Amino acid sequence: MPSPAPAPDGTGDVSLTVNGSPRTMRLDNRTTLLDALREHLDLVGAKKGCDHGQCGACTVLVDGRRANSCLLLAVACDGSEVTTVEGLGADGLLHPVQESFVARDALQCGYCTPGQICSAVGMLGEAAEGHPSLVTPPDRPSEGGPAALDAEEIRERMSGNLCRCGAYPNIVDAIEEVATP
C-alpha cells in the first residue's frame, strides 16, 4: 500500500515499527529518523553527534541493517522496522552485545555507546550473512558463509563509529567476545 500524499503544509503520516511496537506520527517531511526517534518518540539512546553521518553516534537498525539515522528522512523509512539500543534486549535482559560492552568496560563517557552497540549488532548480522569487508581475505571461498571476525575485521567493520574517549581496544574485545562461539 503506497504512503499517503503529503499534506499541503509539508507534513505527512509516517508509520514505523519501532522496537517491536507500531507507531504512526505526523511529521514535517524534512524530519530525520533521528529527530523522529528522539523528539517524537522520546527514544534518546541514539545520539546526535556530528549530524553529518560521520561519527556513528546515531546508528540504529532499519529493517535489520545498520543506518546513520541523522541522514535518513523519516518519510523514507515509512513501513520499516526500526530497532534502537533501547529495543535490543528482551524480557528485561540486555542483548549479548550490551552485556559484553558492560563486562569488557567498552565505554568511557558513553555518548557513542548506543551507536557502537547498534552498529556491532548490525555488523555481526552482516558477517553472519557472509558479507565481506575491505580486509576480508580475497581467497575466501566465494560461496559465502559466515565471515571470520578477528580484531582486524572488527576494526574495519566498525570504522564508521567514532569514540572521542578512545575506548576502541575494549570495544573490539567486547565484540570479539560475542563473535567467538
Side-chain angles (χ1 to χ4, degrees):
M1 177 175 172
S3 297
D9 65 355
T11 65
D13 289 332
V14 177
S15 295
L16 305 168
T17 300
V18 180
N19 298 332
S21 299
R23 305 296 297 262
T24 300
M25 301 164 278
R26 174 149 304 263
L27 299 172
D28 182 299
N29 294 325
R30 299 166 293 180
T31 303
T32 64
L33 178 59
L34 176 62
D35 288 338
L37 293 169
R38 291 182 60 81
E39 296 172 12
H40 297 272
L41 298 178
D42 294 323
L43 294 169
V44 296
K47 303 294 189 259
K48 187 176 280 196
C50 66
D51 210 21
H52 295 288
Q54 297 175 348
C55 73
C58 66
T59 304
V60 297
L61 302 174
V62 178
D63 295 327
R65 307 293 287 184
R66 54 191 169 153
N68 289 335
S69 61
C70 73
L71 295 180
L72 288 173
L73 292 177
V75 296
C77 299
D78 188 59
S80 294
E81 208 168 299
V82 177
T83 305
T84 68
V85 71
E86 294 96 337
L88 288 175
D91 300 322
L93 300 173
L94 295 176
H95 184 279
V97 173
Q98 291 170 313
E99 287 180 353
S100 188
F101 267 62
V102 171
R104 293 289 188 160
D105 199 24
L107 57 130
Q108 286 184 33
C109 81
Y111 196 81
C112 72
T113 305
Q116 296 274 2
I117 289 172
C118 282
S119 188
V121 170
M123 179 270 296
L124 290 168
E126 293 163 14
E129 293 171 4
H131 297 281
S133 79
L134 183 64
V135 298
T136 302
D139 59 347
R140 186 174 141 237
S142 61
E143 65 270 359
L149 291 175
D150 59 12
E152 182 182 26
E153 275 283 347
I154 292 168
R155 280 191 298 275
E156 171 61 29
R157 290 170 184 263
M158 293 293 293
S159 64
N161 289 82
L162 304 179
C163 173
R164 294 184 340 180
C165 301
Y168 298 114
N170 293 356
I171 291 169
V172 172
D173 288 347
I175 296 169
E176 199 167 22
E177 178 180 80
V178 175
T180 306

